[in-house]
Amino acid sequence: MSQVPLLKVDNLSKVFVNQSGLFRRQRKVAFYPLSFTLERGQTLALMGEAGSGKSTLAKVLAGVMPPTQGSIYIDGDKIEPGDDKKRCKLLRMIFQDPSTALNPRSRIGQILEAPLSLNTELDAEQRQALALDTLRMVGLLPDHYHFYPGMISTGQKQRVALARALILSPRIIVADEAISTLDLSVRSQIINLLLSLQSTLGLSYIIVANDLGVVRHISDQVILMHEGHVVEAGPTARVLANPQSEQGLRLLQSYNNEYRWHRG
C-alpha cells in the first residue's frame, strides 16, 4: 500500500467575483484548477510574475481565504474551509512583511502565546515555557519575550513570525515571500535557519519566492505559474534546467536576468 502524501491538493481553484453594478458581476480567476502533492520534509517553491496567482494559492492553502472549488488533504484528512483549529495545528503561514504581520502593541511573548491560548489546554506557565523555548529555537534571546516588535530589527521580526508559525508544531509552513524584503546577509541567516529547522523537526515548506538562487538552494519541487495557470511543475533541478513550455522558458529567462543583475 502506497504511503499517503503529507499534503494533497486536488483540483483547487480560486475565482473572485465582484459586483460591478446592480446586476453585473465580474469574475477574476486568481488561479485555475490545479493539483499537486508535497512529501514530508520537502520544500515546494511557487514562482511566477505578479498576478500569476501564486500568493493567492498560498493564502488559500493557509486558510486565509476559502477556495472556490477543490480539496486540501493533510495526512489523508480533508481540511474543510473554516476548520481553522484543525488547519492551524497542521499548517501555518509566514507573511511577507513582518512589520505589518506582528501587532506593534503586543509584547513578543503575548504574540507567541496567542495561538497557544486559542488552540491548546496549556496553562500560563506552560505557555510561557513553550514561548521561551521557541524563541531560542529561532535564534532569539529569552529577553525578547518582553520586547515589543518596534524594539527589534526586521530580521528579528521575521524570526518572531517564524516562531509564531512553529509554536503549534505544524507539519507544513507556508512562507509568502517571507525573505524577499530582507537584506542579503539576514536573508542567508533565515534560509540557514529554515533548513536547520527542516532537518531537526522534519518540516515541509511551501515558499512563494522570486529569487532563483534561493529556489535552487532550498526547494525540492517547483511550480511555475502564469496568469493563474500552472505552466511547469516538477523537481526543481529539472524544471529550472529544462522548462518544457514557452511561458516557463520566458519566465525563467527573466528570473535569470534579474539574478545576474543582482549579483552584479
Side-chain angles (χ1 to χ4, degrees), residues 64-166:
V64 175
M65 54 181 69
T68 299
Q69 70 169 51
S71 304
I72 298 168
Y73 301 86
I74 300 178
D75 270 337
D77 290 336
K78 187 174 181 180
I79 307 296
E80 300 291 350
D83 191 353
D84 297 330
K85 196 155 188 172
K86 184 176 183 181
R87 185 193 306 254
C88 74
K89 284 185 177 179
L90 297 167
L91 186 151
R92 304 279 286 161
M93 187 164 187
I94 309 170
F95 295 94
Q96 182 173 358
D97 183 1
S99 298
T100 56
L102 303 175
N103 184 343
R105 291 185 294 278
S106 293
R107 294 181 192 272
I108 288 166
Q110 293 171 298
I111 290 169
L112 296 186
E113 288 181 34
L116 298 175
S117 300
L118 291 168
N119 296 285
T120 73
E121 304 298 319
L122 298 179
D123 62 29
E125 194 176 321
Q126 292 169 320
R127 290 197 300 271
Q128 181 178 12
L130 185 49
L132 291 169
D133 281 348
T134 311
L135 283 173
R136 288 189 198 95
M137 195 187 294
V138 299
L140 293 172
L141 300 170
D143 286 355
H144 286 120
Y145 179 91
H146 303 286
F147 285 23
Y148 290 96
M151 298 164 69
I152 59 177
S153 69
T154 304
Q156 288 172 322
K157 285 178 195 171
Q158 200 58 289
R159 288 175 188 262
V160 172
L162 178 57
R164 180 173 60 182
L166 287 169

Side-chain angles (χ1 to χ4, degrees), residues 222-237:
V222 64
I223 289 176
L224 295 184
M225 298 181 71
H226 175 71
E227 295 181 354
H229 294 279
V230 173
V231 294
E232 302 278 344
T236 301

